[in-house]
């Protein structure tokens, strides 16, 4: 299973979640982050987490996507 870490900031504190790639490559995820659903909305992006429920992160809180090596 391909994983990546989503780093995001809430209340001035950076946090990180390990999430699944869900069959998409990094470029697909970047494109998804650059295309908000409706003007004026604070859209949330939903990511799957391995062995846990998904997580919705506010688009404007995301700082970085870090792709994991295949063997991690």
């Amino acid at each position: 299973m391909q994983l990546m870490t989503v780093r995001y900031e809430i209340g001035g504190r950076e946090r990180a979640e390990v999430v699944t790639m869900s069959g998409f490559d990094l470029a697909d995820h970047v494109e998804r982050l650059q295309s908000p659903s409706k003007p004026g909305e604070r859209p949330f992006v939903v990511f799957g987490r391995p062995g846990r429920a998904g997580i919705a992160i506010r688009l404007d809180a995301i700082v970085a996507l870090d792709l994991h090596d295949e063997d991690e």
Side-chain angles (χ1 to χ4, degrees):
M1 173 185 320
Q2 181 69 43
L3 301 174
M4 69 179 170
T5 298
V6 177
R7 293 190 298 130
Y8 59 102
E9 189 174 309
I10 297 176
R13 185 172 177 203
E14 191 170 301
R15 300 170 187 225
E17 281 289 335
V18 174
V19 300
T20 63
M21 297 290 288
S22 301
F24 298 102
D25 64 18
L26 186 59
D28 292 332
H29 284 287
V30 170
E31 182 178 328
R32 181 168 73 133
L33 296 177
Q34 293 174 338
S35 306
S37 47
K38 294 180 186 174
E41 275 190 343
R42 287 190 357 199
F44 286 80
V45 179
V46 176
F47 295 97
R49 295 186 292 183
R52 300 168 61 191
I55 184 170
I57 301 173
R58 202 174 68 235
L59 179 62
D60 60 0
I62 296 174
V63 176
L65 300 176
D66 299 321
L67 187 61
H68 292 212
D69 291 332
E70 288 282 341
D71 55 353
E72 286 186 49

